[in-house]
């Protein structure tokens, strides 16, 4: 879902860049936002080192540990990248809405929306990981 959402953000930026292609400053800002999202996808949304099918208890524990580290890093930096993307969007959004106040308010509403649902999503994931870890600890004690 996070990758899909990030690609939608890139699509929004590309759409606005096409719409305001006559204004080089706005296009450059939007391209900077696109680059930030692409970097975020590559650096923080990639599950390169995590095996999604573990065959042994040890490899499963290792994968869960790596996933926890992945989630901590992603949670730590996600709002910074999304905030930067939003800042690059404000000038073109204010033109799109014909008002800088409307553009800024819409960006703040979006940040609030993403922040709340992101927080709830991270909490749910952390609970699921904790539940999985306690189940694994219980199974290890039984062996």
């Amino acid at each position: 879902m996070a990758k899909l959402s990030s690609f939608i953000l890139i699509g929004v930026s590309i759409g606005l860049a096409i719409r305001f292609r006559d204004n080089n400053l706005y296009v450059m800002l939007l391209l900077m936002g696109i680059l930030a999202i692409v970097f975020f996808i590559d650096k923080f949304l990639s599950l390169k080192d995590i095996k999604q099918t573990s065959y042994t208890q040890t490899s499963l524990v290792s994968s869960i540990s790596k996933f926890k580290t992945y989630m901590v890093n992603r949670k730590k930096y996600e709002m910074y990248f999304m905030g930067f993307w939003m800042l690059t969007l404000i000038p073109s959004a204010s033109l799109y809405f014909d008002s800088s106040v409307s553009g800024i308010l819409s960006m703040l509403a979006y940040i609030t929306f993403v922040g709340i649902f992101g927080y709830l999503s991270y909490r749910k994931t952390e609970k699921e990981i904790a539940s999985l870890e306690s189940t694994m600890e219980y199974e290890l004690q039984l062996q």
Side-chain angles (χ1 to χ4, degrees), residues 69-123:
T69 303
Y70 158 81
M71 289 302 293
V72 167
N73 285 333
R74 184 175 152 200
K75 183 178 179 180
K76 183 177 178 182
Y77 294 107
E78 186 166 10
M79 281 311 288
Y80 293 126
F81 281 94
M82 294 303 128
F84 179 77
W85 177 79
M86 296 297 291
L87 288 175
T88 66
L89 203 66
I90 288 176
S92 54
S94 58
L95 273 182
Y96 181 79
F97 290 113
D98 295 326
S99 164
S100 57
V101 173
S102 296
I104 291 171
L105 288 177
S106 64
M107 294 301 117
L108 289 175
Y110 179 78
I111 287 173
T112 303
F113 175 78
V114 169
I116 289 171
F117 284 104
Y119 173 76
L120 293 174
S121 175
Y122 281 118
R123 277 190 62 180

Side-chain angles (χ1 to χ4, degrees), residues 17-124:
I18 291 170
R19 179 178 173 139
F20 297 110
R21 65 184 169 267
D22 297 334
N23 191 326
N24 290 336
L25 176 63
Y26 290 1
V27 171
M28 292 302 290
L29 285 172
L30 291 166
L31 290 176
M32 287 173 49
I34 290 170
L35 288 175
I37 297 296
V38 167
F39 178 79
F40 178 74
I41 290 170
D42 181 55
K43 180 81 172 157
F44 297 105
L45 293 183
S46 175
L47 295 172
K48 297 173 193 166
D49 299 333
I50 301 172
K51 286 190 220 174
Q52 294 186 16
T53 37
S54 297
Y55 298 104
T56 65
Q57 188 81 9
T58 307
S59 64
L60 185 58
V61 169
S62 173
S63 293
I64 290 173
S65 176
K66 287 178 183 177
F67 187 74
K68 281 177 62 175
T69 303
Y70 158 81
M71 289 302 293
V72 167
N73 285 333
R74 184 175 152 200
K75 183 178 179 180
K76 183 177 178 182
Y77 294 107
E78 186 166 10
M79 281 311 288
Y80 293 126
F81 281 94
M82 294 303 128
F84 179 77
W85 177 79
M86 296 297 291
L87 288 175
T88 66
L89 203 66
I90 288 176
S92 54
S94 58
L95 273 182
Y96 181 79
F97 290 113
D98 295 326
S99 164
S100 57
V101 173
S102 296
I104 291 171
L105 288 177
S106 64
M107 294 301 117
L108 289 175
Y110 179 78
I111 287 173
T112 303
F113 175 78
V114 169
I116 289 171
F117 284 104
Y119 173 76
L120 293 174
S121 175
Y122 281 118
R123 277 190 62 180
K124 180 182 176 193

Side-chain angles (χ1 to χ4, degrees), residues 124-138:
K124 180 182 176 193
T125 303
E126 288 169 354
K127 286 180 183 178
E128 288 175 358
I129 290 172
S131 172
L132 181 60
E133 285 179 323
S134 66
T135 302
M136 288 179 55
E137 285 177 17
Y138 176 74

